[in-house]
Short mmCIF file of all heavy atoms in Angstrom, two decimals:
data_model
loop_
_atom_site.label_atom_id
_atom_site.label_comp_id
_atom_site.label_asym_id
_atom_site.label_seq_id
_atom_site.Cartn_x
_atom_site.Cartn_y
_atom_site.Cartn_z
N ASP D 891 30.35 22.59 7.38
CA ASP D 891 30.73 24.02 7.56
C ASP D 891 30.80 24.80 6.25
O ASP D 891 31.22 25.98 6.24
CB ASP D 891 32.07 24.20 8.27
CG ASP D 891 31.86 24.29 9.78
OD1 ASP D 891 30.72 24.21 10.22
OD2 ASP D 891 32.86 24.44 10.46
N GLY D 893 28.23 25.69 4.52
CA GLY D 893 27.17 26.68 4.47
C GLY D 893 25.80 26.17 4.07
O GLY D 893 24.92 26.94 3.68
N LYS D 894 25.54 24.85 4.28
CA LYS D 894 24.22 24.31 3.95
C LYS D 894 23.08 24.94 4.80
O LYS D 894 22.09 25.38 4.24
CB LYS D 894 24.22 22.79 4.14
CG LYS D 894 25.28 22.01 3.36
CD LYS D 894 25.33 20.57 3.70
CE LYS D 894 25.85 20.29 5.13
NZ LYS D 894 27.29 20.57 5.27
N THR D 895 23.32 24.98 6.07
CA THR D 895 22.28 25.48 6.97
C THR D 895 22.08 26.96 6.68
O THR D 895 20.94 27.45 6.62
CB THR D 895 22.68 25.27 8.42
OG1 THR D 895 22.83 23.85 8.60
CG2 THR D 895 21.63 25.76 9.38
N SER D 896 23.17 27.72 6.49
CA SER D 896 23.07 29.16 6.22
C SER D 896 22.21 29.38 4.94
O SER D 896 21.39 30.30 4.89
CB SER D 896 24.45 29.77 5.99
OG SER D 896 25.24 29.52 7.13
N PRO D 937 19.35 16.57 7.73
CA PRO D 937 20.75 16.85 8.12
C PRO D 937 21.71 16.18 7.19
O PRO D 937 21.77 14.94 7.13
CB PRO D 937 20.79 16.30 9.55
CG PRO D 937 19.64 15.39 9.70
CD PRO D 937 18.59 15.87 8.75
N GLY D 938 22.49 17.01 6.49
CA GLY D 938 23.48 16.51 5.61
C GLY D 938 23.03 15.55 4.53
O GLY D 938 21.81 15.51 4.27
MG1 MG Z 304 24.27 22.64 8.98
#
Side-chain angles (χ1 to χ4, degrees):
D891 270 359
K894 301 174 292 290
T895 302
S896 304

